Amino acid sequence: MTAQSLNLIETQNNLNVVELSAEERQAYRERIKTLLKERDAVLVAHYYTDPEIQSLAEETGGCVSDSLEMARFGRDHEAKTLVVAGVRFMGETAKILSPDKRVIMPTLEATCSLDIGCPEDEFAEFRAQYPDRTVVVYANTSAAVKAQADWVVTSSIAVELIKHLDQQGEKILWAPDKHLGDYVMRASGADVVCWDGACIVHEEFKSQGVVDLKALYPDAAVLVHPESPKSVIALADVVGSTSQLIKAAQELPNQRLIVATDKGIFYKMQQLVPDKILMEAPTAGSGAECQSCAQCPWMAMNGLENLCQVLEADDAAGQEILVDTALAEKAMAPLTRMLEFGASLNR
Ligand code: 13P
Ligand code: SF4
């Protein structure tokens, strides 16, 4: 890999090129701001969404964060309507934690490969094979899977939670991300049985590509989301959730950072470390045209147009998140445990 080819993957912050003119974008932004006020709504966005959406959340008193903070922020905010810009499990979590609020999303089609890969009936069969294990599921699951769990967890508190459960002598059944499951098992030393699921975005990071980049830039620090393969995690200076990677970017002395997670994170990260050089970790071999294609296709479905449409419509245009009441009541317990455990860690 040459320094020239690496220019391809150096971040230019020109992510998610929206095919709208500058005037159209501005008009959408103004209209969304007005509608948020009129509808008593707040925008809760994930770091992987389009920078246009993230900046709107920032400018309107909403939140841009990782999945744990999105859940907490939505639960605690006084607005009557939560507009969740992210993927469906994030909207469902918001609805379960705030049953009296209206939760809408720019599109209900935005899902997640981890959620898709863990259907509730198959998960129930898997769980039944291990009746003596404490069931811990990642937030990236459906409400129906969460309803079967003892705990829900996000990557920002996963290692601490599994260590805590291990200290209580509990054996763990983990689902659905096998890479995160393997990482928490190694970091905690706990007895973990893991579901075989993966994130289609993080699974693509290539350890050889990171090694090649490090050879060209030995002073660069490597930041890795734990949904990535073990061989990539092994090269990391810091492993953590999206918020933890952003914090690490601020705290590390390195001027150059190689980042293995969805490229949406660069908007916020670059804002906080304007003088540092951020590089996308490679997802392809040296012969490929696109050196890094780390972008979640479902997160990318959130745009200015569908955000505006869902706010405009009186009936939310079928984009309201509804969760069966009995299911929501069951899922509330493990989600509440997650938030309480997070609070005990000051997260
Ligand atoms: P975070 O909890 O780190 O925000 O991760 C959510 C996610 O979907 C990562 O792919
Ligand atoms: Fe799911 Fe991966 Fe997209 Fe995150 S990046 S929402 S884990 S598919």
Side-chain angles (χ1 to χ4, degrees):
M1 197 180 285
T2 64
Q4 196 185 15
S5 71
L6 290 169
N7 288 339
L8 283 173
I9 58 176
E10 221 167 287
T11 299
Q12 304 294 331
N13 271 346
N14 59 351
L15 312 166
N16 300 317
V17 181
V18 184
E19 287 175 34
L20 293 170
S21 68
E23 292 74 28
E24 284 169 329
R25 286 205 305 273
Q26 193 51 32
Y28 272 121
R29 294 180 70 85
E30 292 312 318
R31 185 74 190 130
I32 290 166
K33 285 181 185 175
T34 305
L35 287 166
L36 284 169
K37 278 197 200 127
E38 281 177 14
R39 305 278 191 205
D40 189 13
V42 67
L43 184 53
V44 186
H46 191 266
Y47 290 123
Y48 295 166
T49 55
D50 190 298
E52 291 274 13
I53 308 264
Q54 295 187 48
S55 62
L56 263 173
E58 288 170 330
E59 286 170 28
T60 55
C63 113
V64 182
S65 65
D66 69 1
S67 53
L68 181 68
E69 174 60 10
M70 284 174 79
R72 194 202 60 71
F73 182 93
R75 181 198 61 179
D76 295 347
H77 201 279
E78 62 203 8
K80 284 204 191 90
T81 296
L82 305 176
V83 189
V84 177
V87 293
R88 198 180 166 115
F89 77 81
M90 295 170 174
E92 284 187 351
T93 295
K95 183 66 185 175
I96 294 163
L97 292 170
S98 303
D100 296 333
K101 291 177 193 160
R102 194 159 160 263
V103 178
I104 55 178
M105 296 185 71
T107 169
L108 297 188
E109 284 170 29
T111 183
C112 164
S113 62
L114 289 166
D115 187 347
I116 295 170
C118 190
E120 59 170 302
D121 45 351
E122 286 177 34
F123 181 66
E125 281 170 28
F126 180 66
R127 198 172 54 99
Q129 292 170 38
Y130 303 97
D132 59 331
R133 288 181 179 259
T134 300
V135 179
V136 182
V137 303
Y138 195 29
N140 302 36
T141 46
S142 65
V145 167
K146 288 187 178 79
Q148 300 179 47
D150 299 304
W151 290 84
V152 175
V153 75
T154 71
S155 55
S156 69
I157 56 170
V159 172
E160 288 87 346
L161 176 66
I162 301 302
K163 275 187 184 164
H164 167 76
L165 296 175
D166 182 50
Q167 279 159 13
Q168 317 290 312
E170 294 178 37
K171 291 192 286 181
I172 311 298
L173 184 150
W174 170 275
D177 189 287
K178 63 181 176 190
H179 298 301
L180 180 56
D182 177 66
Y183 172 67
V184 294
M185 183 175 68
R186 288 183 287 114
S188 66
D191 181 339
V192 180
V193 167
C194 195
W195 179 268
D196 185 15
C199 161
I200 56 160
V201 179
H202 290 85
E203 197 163 53
E204 289 305 311
F205 288 115
K206 303 282 183 286
S207 56
Q208 189 56 51
V210 177
V211 169
D212 291 347
L213 262 181
K214 275 286 285 184
L216 280 163
Y217 302 106
D219 294 339
V222 179
L223 311 182
V224 177
H225 195 284
E227 289 168 13
S228 308
K230 183 179 176 180
S231 59
V232 177
I233 290 179
L235 300 168
D237 294 289
V238 176
V239 182
S241 73
T242 46
S243 295
Q244 289 165 340
L245 298 185
I246 289 172
K247 192 158 173 265
Q250 293 172 275
E251 289 175 355
L252 286 167
N254 309 63
Q255 267 304 109
R256 191 180 284 270
L257 304 168
I258 299 167
V259 185
T261 195
D262 181 286
K263 59 174 73 175
I265 202 171
F266 289 108
Y267 167 73
K268 193 71 191 164
M269 204 179 255
Q270 192 78 77
Q271 213 181 53
L272 294 169
V273 290
D275 299 330
K276 293 196 180 184
I277 299 166
L278 306 180
M279 304 183 79
E280 297 171 28
T283 58
S286 52
E289 266 181 43
C290 174
Q291 295 289 300
S292 182
C293 304
Q295 184 173 33
C296 176
W298 295 293
M299 289 282 184
M301 292 171 94
N302 296 274
L304 287 178
E305 285 165 291
N306 54 9
L307 173 56
C308 193
Q309 272 160 16
V310 74
L311 279 164
E312 199 87 62
D314 286 330
D315 64 351
Q319 305 301 346
E320 180 169 359
I321 291 278
L322 300 169
V323 181
D324 172 80
T325 313
L327 210 58
E329 276 168 14
K330 280 192 195 150
M332 175 74 118
L335 272 169
T336 304
R337 276 186 209 119
M338 169 185 85
L339 290 175
E340 284 171 0
F341 187 77
S344 76
L345 301 173
N346 285 326
R347 304 264 169 81

